[in-house]
Amino acid sequence: MTGAAPMIALTPDAQFRLGLYLHEVRAAVARVPEVNPDEIEADIREHIETEFRDAVRPVTLAELEAVLVRLGPPAQWVPSAPGSAPPAGPGWSPRAWLRQAVHSAAGVLWRGPEDWRLPYLAFGVFALGVVAFPLFPLCLVLSYLLARAARAVAAEKGVSLGARRWLLYPPLVLVAVPLLLAGLFGPVVPAAAGAAHELAEADQFRTLVVVRPDGNLASARPVGDYEVYRLGVTRGPNGKWVIAADRRAYYEALNRYTDAMPGPRGLAHALAVVFAAAGALAAWWVVLGGITWAAPVVPRAVLAPLADGFEARHGRRMFSWAVVAFVLWCGFAYQLAGAAGAEPGAPARPVAPPPMTTK
Amino acid sequence: MDPDFLANWTTQMRKGLLELCVLAALKGRRLYGYDIVKRLAGVGGLVMGEGTVYPILSRFKKEGLVDTALVESPEGPARKYYQLTPKGRLLLARMLAAWAEVRDGIDHVAAEQLP
C-alpha cells in the first residue's frame, strides 16, 4: 500500500477506506502463491483510477464505496490457498500435496528476493560510491541505471515499489534534481550571461574608447588593439581609427535599453540583465510547456521519480502561464523600446566622460 | 434437495467459466484490466465481484498464458494491457473445444427422447 503510483484525490475518509480495502486485498491473496499481491493491488488501484477518471475531485467515501461494492469482498476472489491444507477427497495423495506445498514455498521465496534484488544492488552501488568517494560519479551513474531498471521491472510487473523505493530514491533524486534544474533554467543561464556580456561591452563602448574627429583614439585607460577591435573599432587604410557603423548602432541600442531602466547605472545594468533573462525564461517555458503538454511521457521518463505524476494538463498549464508571462514581457519590452527611443543617436543617459588618454 | 444447492452450483459453474471467459475476452486483441472486467461484467451473472478477475489475470500471467505491456494513455497514467501468449492461445482453443463438447453433450442428453 505504500509507494504506489499516485492516485486520484480522495477525501480523507475515502483514503482511509481505500487503505483498509487494499489491506484486505493483500491479506486475501497473500496465501495464494499463484498470484502476485503487488500486481493485484496495482490492478485494483488502476481500476479505481479508471472508474473515477472523469469524476469531480476529491472523490468521496460514498462514491468510492460504490466502486468497492462492485469489486466485491476480496476474500471471495480466491479459493482457499492451495497447499495451505491437505484437500479432502479421493483425488488427494500425500505426494501431490507435498509437491504442491514445496511449489508454493518455492514460489513465495522466489517472488520475494527477486523483487528486492535490483533495489538492493542500486543502493549498494550508491553506498559504495559514497564510501569510495573518487568512484562516486561512476557509482552514481551505475546506481542510477540500476534504479531505473528496478522501476522499469516493477512497472512492467505492474507492482508498487513499496518500501523498496527508499533504496532507489538516493541515486534517482541525486540525478533527477540537477536534470530538473537544468531543464527549467539551463538555457536561460547562457542567455543571461550573454546579455550581461553584451551590455557590459556596450557600456565599455560608451565609456572606454572615443574616436576623435581627427581619427585618433582616446581611451579611459591603456587598451590593446584587440580590446579595441573587439568593440568594433578598427584602423582604416589611412591609419585613422574608425568605428563600424553596425556595431555602433548595436551598442547604442543596447545602451539606450540600459538607460531606460530605472535607478543608478549599476542597478539599471543589473535590471537590464534580469529583464532579458526573464524574457528568455518565459520564452523557454513556452517551449518547455509545449513539449511536455504534447509528450508528458518525456518529463516522466527523464525526471523519474520527481515527475511520476506529471500529466499533459500540467504541461498545458505551464504552457499557458508561460505564454501569458511572455506576452506581458513583450508588452514591457515594447514600452521599454519606446522609452529608449527608436532611432540611433536618440538622447541617452548622460555619462560622465572618463579622463582620456590618446592612443 | 438442499435449498442452497442451486446457488452453490451456479457459483461453482461461474467460477469455472470465468477463466475461460477471461481468455476468450483477450482473443485476438489486447485489453487493459479494467476493460476486461467491464466486458465480462456485461455478461449477465458471470462476474459476482469485478475484483475476481484480477487474481485470475495475475495467475495467468505467472503461468505464461498472458503477457502484459504498459501503454501510455492520453487520459492519464500508463495502462497495463494484457494479451494472450501462444501458450494462452493454445489453451483457449482447447478450452473452447472442451466447452463446446460439454455444451453439445448436455444439449444432446437433454434433447434425447425415451423410446
Side-chain angles (χ1 to χ4, degrees):
Chain A
M1 279 150 290
T2 54
M7 281 207 65
I8 42 132
L10 302 169
T11 58
D13 50 355
Q15 186 70 52
F16 182 72
R17 174 71 181 101
L18 178 63
L20 287 179
Y21 187 81
L22 292 175
H23 181 74
E24 284 179 48
V25 170
R26 296 185 78 87
V29 300
R31 292 170 296 117
V32 185
E34 286 83 3
V35 301
N36 184 335
D38 290 337
E39 192 172 50
I40 292 178
E41 182 187 325
D43 282 340
I44 296 298
R45 284 181 179 276
E46 188 180 306
H47 182 104
I48 294 170
E49 287 262 10
T50 312
E51 284 277 6
F52 293 119
R53 189 176 48 213
D54 302 321
V56 177
R57 316 292 171 87
V59 173
T60 64
L61 177 60
E63 292 168 324
L64 176 68
E65 199 62 51
V67 173
L68 298 186
V69 166
R70 286 201 295 277
L71 281 168
Q76 292 180 7
W77 294 354
V78 290
S80 56
S84 60
W92 178 78
S93 72
R95 192 176 169 188
W97 178 79
L98 187 63
R99 191 169 58 238
Q100 180 66 52
V102 169
H103 177 77
S104 303
V108 170
L109 282 175
W110 173 249
R111 193 168 59 237
E114 174 67 13
D115 288 352
W116 283 81
R117 197 166 298 152
L118 272 175
Y120 271 131
L121 198 56
F123 187 78
V125 172
F126 178 78
L128 175 68
V130 173
V131 174
F133 199 71
L135 293 177
F136 185 73
L138 179 66
C139 289
L140 179 63
V141 171
L142 198 56
S143 61
Y144 175 77
L145 294 175
L146 286 167
R148 291 299 301 261
R151 279 174 56 90
V153 167
E156 196 276 333
K157 287 183 171 179
V159 300
S160 63
L161 284 165
R164 281 163 288 190
R165 71 188 189 280
W166 299 113
L167 297 172
L168 304 179
Y169 277 179
L172 287 178
V173 170
L174 220 54
V175 172
V177 166
L179 285 178
L180 174 67
L181 294 176
L184 286 176
F185 305 108
V188 177
V189 173
H197 176 76
E198 292 297 302
L199 289 171
E201 278 205 338
D203 198 46
Q204 274 194 339
F205 177 81
R206 172 164 56 184
T207 57
L208 184 63
V209 292
V210 170
V211 176
R212 290 178 164 172
D214 60 4
N216 288 321
L217 192 69
S219 62
R221 59 174 168 78
V223 290
D225 280 359
Y226 175 71
E227 191 175 4
V228 173
Y229 174 76
R230 199 164 48 82
L231 295 173
V233 183
T234 54
R235 250 185 230 280
N238 55 1
K240 304 292 185 186
W241 290 97
V242 291
I243 300 175
D246 56 340
R247 188 63 67 90
R248 176 195 288 275
Y250 174 63
Y251 283 147
E252 283 178 348
L254 286 180
N255 282 328
R256 284 197 307 278
Y257 161 66
T258 308
D259 293 343
M261 291 289 169
R265 201 165 130 220
L267 177 64
H269 186 85
L271 283 176
V273 172
V274 169
F275 185 72
L281 188 67
W284 170 238
W285 283 15
V286 168
V287 174
L288 207 58
I291 292 171
T292 55
W293 181 10
V297 66
V298 172
R300 282 205 297 268
V302 174
L303 301 176
L306 300 182
D308 282 353
F310 194 93
E311 293 175 19
R313 60 190 168 91
H314 298 121
R316 187 178 63 230
R317 204 172 296 161
M318 182 182 193
F319 177 80
S320 307
W321 283 112
V323 166
V324 170
F326 188 66
V327 168
L328 286 174
W329 184 87
C330 287
F332 281 120
Y334 183 75
Q335 284 189 339
L336 208 58
E343 292 298 322
R349 182 195 301 263
V351 177
M356 294 286 179
T357 59
T358 304
K359 183 163 180 171
Chain B
M1 180 188 284
D2 182 352
D4 292 333
F5 171 78
L6 182 61
N8 290 336
W9 178 82
T10 308
T11 302
Q12 291 305 317
M13 184 184 66
R14 282 170 179 160
K15 281 183 179 174
L17 289 178
L18 188 55
E19 294 171 336
L20 168 60
C21 292
V22 169
L23 290 176
L26 291 169
K27 187 180 180 184
R29 62 188 161 192
R30 65 178 188 181
L31 298 171
Y32 64 102
Y34 181 85
D35 206 2
I36 299 171
V37 168
K38 290 300 174 186
R39 281 168 191 266
L40 297 183
V43 180
L46 182 65
V47 178
M48 298 300 288
E50 293 180 348
T52 316
V53 174
Y54 293 114
I56 293 174
L57 287 169
S58 179
R59 183 156 51 83
F60 282 175
K61 186 182 171 190
K62 198 157 191 177
E63 290 170 354
L65 300 173
V66 297
D67 260 344
T68 58
L70 280 182
V71 177
E72 291 301 324
S73 163
E75 297 166 352
R79 286 173 172 168
K80 187 167 66 176
Y81 277 76
Y82 290 88
Q83 62 186 9
L84 291 179
T85 61
K87 189 178 169 186
R89 283 194 290 275
L90 184 63
L91 180 66
L92 173 62
R94 287 178 177 172
M95 287 175 81
L96 285 173
W99 165 246
E101 195 178 338
V102 170
R103 187 194 55 213
D104 293 347
I106 293 170
D107 289 347
H108 178 72
V109 168
E112 206 172 11
Q113 300 291 321
L114 286 174

